[in-house]
Coordinates of all heavy atoms in Angstrom, one line a residue:
Y1 N -5.2 -11.9 -3.7 CA -6.5 -12.2 -3.2 C -7.3 -11.0 -2.7 O -8.5 -10.7 -3.0 CB -6.3 -13.3 -2.1 CG -7.5 -13.5 -1.2 CD1 -8.6 -14.3 -1.6 CD2 -7.4 -13.1 0.1 CE1 -9.6 -14.6 -0.7 CE2 -8.4 -13.4 1.0 CZ -9.5 -14.2 0.6 OH -10.5 -14.5 1.4
Y2 N -6.6 -10.1 -1.9 CA -7.3 -9.0 -1.2 C -6.4 -7.8 -1.2 O -5.5 -7.6 -0.4 CB -7.7 -9.4 0.2 CG -8.8 -8.6 0.8 CD1 -10.1 -9.1 0.6 CD2 -8.7 -7.4 1.4 CE1 -11.2 -8.5 1.1 CE2 -9.8 -6.7 1.9 CZ -11.1 -7.2 1.8 OH -12.2 -6.6 2.3
V3 N -6.6 -7.0 -2.2 CA -5.7 -5.8 -2.5 C -6.5 -4.6 -2.5 O -7.6 -4.5 -3.1 CB -5.0 -6.0 -3.9 CG1 -4.3 -4.8 -4.3 CG2 -4.1 -7.2 -3.8
L4 N -6.0 -3.5 -1.9 CA -6.7 -2.3 -1.7 C -6.1 -1.2 -2.6 O -4.9 -1.0 -2.7 CB -6.6 -1.8 -0.3 CG -7.0 -2.7 0.8 CD1 -6.9 -2.0 2.2 CD2 -8.4 -3.3 0.6
P5 N -7.0 -0.4 -3.3 CA -6.5 0.8 -4.1 C -5.9 1.8 -3.1 O -6.5 2.0 -2.0 CB -7.7 1.3 -4.8 CG -8.7 0.2 -4.8 CD -8.4 -0.6 -3.5
V6 N -4.9 2.5 -3.5 CA -4.2 3.5 -2.7 C -4.3 4.8 -3.3 O -3.8 5.0 -4.5 CB -2.7 3.1 -2.4 CG1 -2.1 4.2 -1.6 CG2 -2.6 1.8 -1.7
L7 N -5.0 5.8 -2.7 CA -5.1 7.1 -3.1 C -4.0 8.0 -2.5 O -3.7 7.8 -1.3 CB -6.4 7.8 -2.7 CG -7.6 7.6 -3.7 CD1 -8.9 8.1 -2.9 CD2 -7.4 8.4 -4.9
Y8 N -3.4 8.9 -3.3 CA -2.5 9.9 -2.7 C -2.9 11.3 -3.3 O -2.7 11.5 -4.5 CB -1.1 9.6 -3.0 CG -0.1 10.5 -2.4 CD1 -0.1 10.8 -1.0 CD2 0.9 11.1 -3.2 CE1 0.8 11.7 -0.5 CE2 1.9 12.0 -2.6 CZ 1.8 12.3 -1.3 OH 2.7 13.1 -0.7
G9 N -3.4 12.1 -2.5 CA -3.9 13.4 -3.0 C -5.0 13.2 -4.0 O -6.0 12.6 -3.7
E10 N -4.8 13.6 -5.3 CA -5.9 13.5 -6.3 C -5.7 12.4 -7.2 O -6.4 12.3 -8.2 CB -6.0 14.8 -7.0 CG -6.3 16.0 -6.2 CD -6.3 17.3 -7.0 OE1 -6.8 17.3 -8.1 OE2 -5.8 18.3 -6.5
R11 N -4.8 11.5 -7.0 CA -4.6 10.4 -7.9 C -4.4 9.0 -7.2 O -4.2 9.0 -6.0 CB -3.3 10.7 -8.8 CG -2.0 10.6 -8.0 CD -0.8 10.6 -9.0 NE -0.8 9.3 -9.7 CZ 0.1 9.0 -10.6 NH1 1.1 9.8 -10.9 NH2 0.1 7.8 -11.2
F12 N -4.6 8.0 -8.0 CA -4.3 6.6 -7.4 C -2.8 6.4 -7.5 O -2.2 6.4 -8.6 CB -5.1 5.6 -8.2 CG -6.5 5.5 -7.8 CD1 -7.5 6.3 -8.4 CD2 -6.9 4.7 -6.7 CE1 -8.8 6.3 -8.1 CE2 -8.3 4.7 -6.3 CZ -9.2 5.5 -7.0
A13 N -2.2 6.0 -6.4 CA -0.7 5.8 -6.4 C -0.4 4.4 -6.7 O 0.7 4.0 -7.1 CB -0.2 6.2 -5.0
G14 N -1.3 3.5 -6.4 CA -1.1 2.0 -6.6 C -2.1 1.2 -5.9 O -3.2 1.6 -5.6
R15 N -1.6 0.0 -5.5 CA -2.5 -0.9 -4.7 C -1.6 -1.7 -3.7 O -0.4 -1.8 -4.0 CB -3.2 -1.9 -5.7 CG -2.4 -2.7 -6.6 CD -3.1 -3.1 -7.9 NE -3.1 -2.0 -8.8 CZ -4.1 -1.8 -9.7 NH1 -5.1 -2.6 -9.8 NH2 -4.0 -0.8 -10.6
I16 N -2.2 -2.1 -2.6 CA -1.4 -2.6 -1.5 C -2.1 -3.8 -1.0 O -3.4 -4.0 -1.1 CB -1.3 -1.5 -0.4 CG1 -0.2 -1.9 0.5 CG2 -2.6 -1.3 0.3 CD1 0.3 -0.7 1.4
E17 N -1.3 -4.8 -0.4 CA -1.9 -6.0 0.1 C -1.5 -6.1 1.6 O -0.5 -6.6 2.0 CB -1.3 -7.2 -0.6 CG -1.8 -8.5 -0.2 CD -1.2 -9.7 -0.8 OE1 -0.1 -9.6 -1.5 OE2 -1.7 -10.8 -0.7
P18 N -2.4 -5.6 2.5 CA -2.2 -5.7 3.9 C -2.9 -6.8 4.5 O -4.0 -7.2 4.0 CB -2.7 -4.3 4.4 CG -3.7 -3.9 3.4 CD -3.5 -4.7 2.2
V19 N -2.4 -7.4 5.6 CA -3.0 -8.5 6.3 C -2.9 -8.2 7.8 O -1.8 -8.0 8.3 CB -2.3 -9.9 6.0 CG1 -2.9 -11.0 6.8 CG2 -2.4 -10.2 4.5
A20 N -4.0 -8.3 8.5 CA -4.0 -8.2 10.0 C -3.8 -9.6 10.6 O -4.7 -10.4 10.6 CB -5.3 -7.6 10.4
D21 N -2.6 -9.8 11.0 CA -2.2 -11.1 11.6 C -2.4 -11.0 13.2 O -1.5 -10.6 13.9 CB -0.8 -11.5 11.3 CG -0.4 -12.9 11.7 OD1 -1.1 -13.4 12.7 OD2 0.5 -13.5 11.2
R22 N -3.6 -11.3 13.6 CA -4.0 -11.1 15.0 C -3.3 -12.1 15.9 O -3.0 -11.8 17.1 CB -5.5 -11.2 15.2 CG -6.2 -10.1 14.4 CD -7.7 -10.3 14.3 NE -8.4 -9.3 13.6 CZ -8.5 -9.3 12.3 NH1 -8.0 -10.2 11.5 NH2 -9.2 -8.3 11.7
K23 N -3.0 -13.3 15.4 CA -2.2 -14.3 16.2 C -0.8 -13.8 16.5 O -0.4 -13.9 17.6 CB -2.2 -15.6 15.5 CG -1.6 -16.7 16.3 CD -1.7 -18.1 15.6 CE -3.1 -18.6 15.5 NZ -3.1 -19.9 14.9
A24 N -0.2 -13.2 15.5 CA 1.2 -12.7 15.7 C 1.2 -11.3 16.2 O 2.3 -10.8 16.5 CB 2.0 -12.8 14.4
K25 N 0.0 -10.7 16.3 CA -0.1 -9.3 16.8 C 0.7 -8.3 15.9 O 1.3 -7.4 16.4 CB 0.3 -9.2 18.2 CG -0.6 -10.0 19.2 CD -0.2 -9.8 20.6 CE -1.1 -10.7 21.5 NZ -0.8 -10.6 22.9
K26 N 0.6 -8.6 14.6 CA 1.3 -7.7 13.6 C 0.4 -7.4 12.5 O -0.4 -8.2 12.1 CB 2.6 -8.4 13.1 CG 3.7 -8.7 14.2 CD 4.8 -9.4 13.5 CE 5.9 -9.7 14.6 NZ 7.1 -10.4 14.0
F27 N 0.6 -6.2 11.9 CA -0.1 -5.8 10.7 C 0.9 -5.9 9.6 O 1.9 -5.1 9.5 CB -0.6 -4.3 10.9 CG -1.6 -4.0 9.8 CD1 -2.9 -4.4 9.8 CD2 -1.2 -3.2 8.7 CE1 -3.8 -4.1 8.9 CE2 -2.1 -2.8 7.7 CZ -3.4 -3.3 7.8
I28 N 0.7 -6.8 8.7 CA 1.7 -7.2 7.7 C 1.4 -6.6 6.4 O 0.2 -6.7 5.9 CB 1.8 -8.7 7.6 CG1 2.3 -9.3 9.0 CG2 2.8 -9.1 6.5 CD1 2.3 -10.8 9.0
V29 N 2.3 -6.0 5.7 CA 2.2 -5.5 4.3 C 2.9 -6.5 3.4 O 4.2 -6.5 3.5 CB 2.7 -4.1 4.2 CG1 2.4 -3.6 2.7 CG2 2.0 -3.2 5.2
R30 N 2.2 -7.2 2.6 CA 2.9 -8.2 1.8 C 3.4 -7.6 0.5 O 4.5 -8.0 0.1 CB 1.9 -9.4 1.5 CG 1.6 -10.2 2.7 CD 0.7 -11.4 2.3 NE 0.5 -12.3 3.4 CZ -0.5 -13.2 3.5 NH1 -1.4 -13.3 2.5 NH2 -0.6 -14.0 4.6
N31 N 2.7 -6.7 0.0 CA 3.1 -6.1 -1.3 C 2.6 -4.7 -1.5 O 1.5 -4.4 -1.0 CB 2.7 -7.0 -2.5 CG 3.5 -8.2 -2.7 OD1 4.7 -8.2 -3.0 ND2 2.9 -9.4 -2.5
F32 N 3.3 -3.9 -2.2 CA 2.8 -2.6 -2.7 C 3.2 -2.5 -4.2 O 4.3 -2.7 -4.6 CB 3.4 -1.5 -2.0 CG 3.0 -0.1 -2.6 CD1 1.7 0.4 -2.4 CD2 3.9 0.6 -3.3 CE1 1.4 1.6 -3.0 CE2 3.6 1.8 -3.8 CZ 2.3 2.3 -3.7
W33 N 2.2 -2.3 -5.1 CA 2.4 -2.2 -6.5 C 2.1 -0.7 -6.9 O 1.0 -0.3 -7.0 CB 1.5 -3.1 -7.3 CG 1.7 -4.6 -7.0 CD1 2.6 -5.4 -7.7 CD2 1.0 -5.4 -6.1 NE1 2.4 -6.7 -7.2 CE2 1.5 -6.7 -6.2 CE3 0.0 -5.1 -5.1 CZ2 1.0 -7.7 -5.4 CZ3 -0.5 -6.2 -4.3 CH2 0.0 -7.4 -4.5
P34 N 3.1 0.1 -7.1 CA 2.9 1.5 -7.6 C 2.3 1.5 -9.0 O 2.6 0.7 -9.8 CB 4.3 2.1 -7.5 CG 5.2 1.0 -7.7 CD 4.6 -0.2 -7.1
E35 N 1.5 2.5 -9.3 CA 1.1 2.8 -10.6 C 2.2 3.2 -11.5 O 3.2 3.9 -11.0 CB 0.0 3.8 -10.7 CG -1.4 3.4 -10.2 CD -2.0 2.4 -11.2 OE1 -2.6 2.8 -12.2 OE2 -1.9 1.2 -10.9
K36 N 2.1 2.9 -12.8 CA 3.2 3.2 -13.7 C 3.3 4.8 -13.7 O 2.4 5.5 -13.8 CB 2.8 2.7 -15.1 CG 3.9 3.0 -16.1 CD 3.5 2.4 -17.5 CE 4.6 2.6 -18.5 NZ 4.2 2.1 -19.9
G37 N 4.6 5.2 -13.6 CA 4.8 6.7 -13.6 C 4.7 7.4 -12.3 O 5.0 8.5 -12.2
F38 N 4.2 6.6 -11.2 CA 4.1 7.3 -9.9 C 5.5 7.3 -9.2 O 6.1 6.3 -9.1 CB 3.1 6.5 -9.1 CG 3.0 7.1 -7.7 CD1 2.3 8.3 -7.5 CD2 3.5 6.5 -6.6 CE1 2.2 8.9 -6.2 CE2 3.4 7.1 -5.3 CZ 2.7 8.3 -5.1
R39 N 5.8 8.5 -8.8 CA 7.1 8.7 -8.1 C 6.9 8.7 -6.6 O 6.1 9.4 -6.0 CB 7.7 10.0 -8.5 CG 9.2 10.2 -8.0 CD 9.8 11.4 -8.7 NE 9.2 12.7 -8.3 CZ 9.7 13.4 -7.3 NH1 10.7 13.0 -6.6 NH2 9.1 14.5 -7.0
Q40 N 7.6 7.7 -5.9 CA 7.4 7.5 -4.5 C 8.3 8.5 -3.7 O 9.5 8.1 -3.5 CB 7.7 6.1 -4.2 CG 6.7 5.1 -4.9 CD 7.0 3.7 -4.6 OE1 7.1 3.3 -3.4 NE2 7.2 2.9 -5.6
T41 N 7.8 9.6 -3.4 CA 8.6 10.6 -2.7 C 8.6 10.3 -1.2 O 7.9 9.4 -0.7 CB 7.9 12.0 -2.8 OG1 6.6 12.0 -2.2 CG2 7.8 12.4 -4.3
E42 N 9.5 11.0 -0.5 CA 9.6 10.8 1.0 C 8.2 11.1 1.6 O 7.8 10.5 2.6 CB 10.7 11.6 1.6 CG 10.9 11.4 3.1 CD 11.3 10.0 3.4 OE1 11.9 9.3 2.6 OE2 11.1 9.6 4.6
A43 N 7.6 12.2 1.1 CA 6.3 12.6 1.7 C 5.3 11.5 1.5 O 4.4 11.3 2.4 CB 5.9 13.9 1.0
F44 N 5.3 10.9 0.4 CA 4.3 9.8 0.1 C 4.6 8.6 1.1 O 3.7 8.1 1.7 CB 4.4 9.3 -1.3 CG 3.7 8.0 -1.5 CD1 2.3 7.9 -1.5 CD2 4.4 6.8 -1.7 CE1 1.7 6.7 -1.7 CE2 3.8 5.6 -1.8 CZ 2.4 5.5 -1.8
R45 N 5.8 8.3 1.2 CA 6.2 7.1 2.1 C 5.7 7.4 3.5 O 5.2 6.5 4.2 CB 7.7 6.8 2.0 CG 8.1 6.2 0.7 CD 9.5 5.6 0.8 NE 10.5 6.7 0.7 CZ 11.0 7.2 -0.4 NH1 10.6 6.6 -1.6 NH2 11.9 8.1 -0.4
K46 N 5.9 8.6 4.0 CA 5.5 9.0 5.4 C 4.0 8.9 5.5 O 3.4 8.4 6.5 CB 6.0 10.4 5.7 CG 7.5 10.4 6.0 CD 8.0 11.8 6.4 CE 9.5 11.8 6.8 NZ 9.9 13.2 7.1
A47 N 3.3 9.4 4.5 CA 1.8 9.4 4.5 C 1.3 8.0 4.5 O 0.3 7.7 5.1 CB 1.3 10.2 3.3
L48 N 1.9 7.1 3.7 CA 1.5 5.7 3.6 C 1.7 5.0 4.9 O 0.9 4.3 5.4 CB 2.3 5.0 2.5 CG 2.0 3.5 2.3 CD1 0.5 3.3 2.0 CD2 2.9 2.9 1.2

């Protein structure tokens, strides 16, 4: 329903589905879909 494009450097890394659950006081990430061929390095994970 509500998915955001994710940029990393000069390319799109994928798309992500975050939800701000204010009642539970948590920021929930339901899904992350990497682009085909995108390698998820440790540097990318930390930046995300």
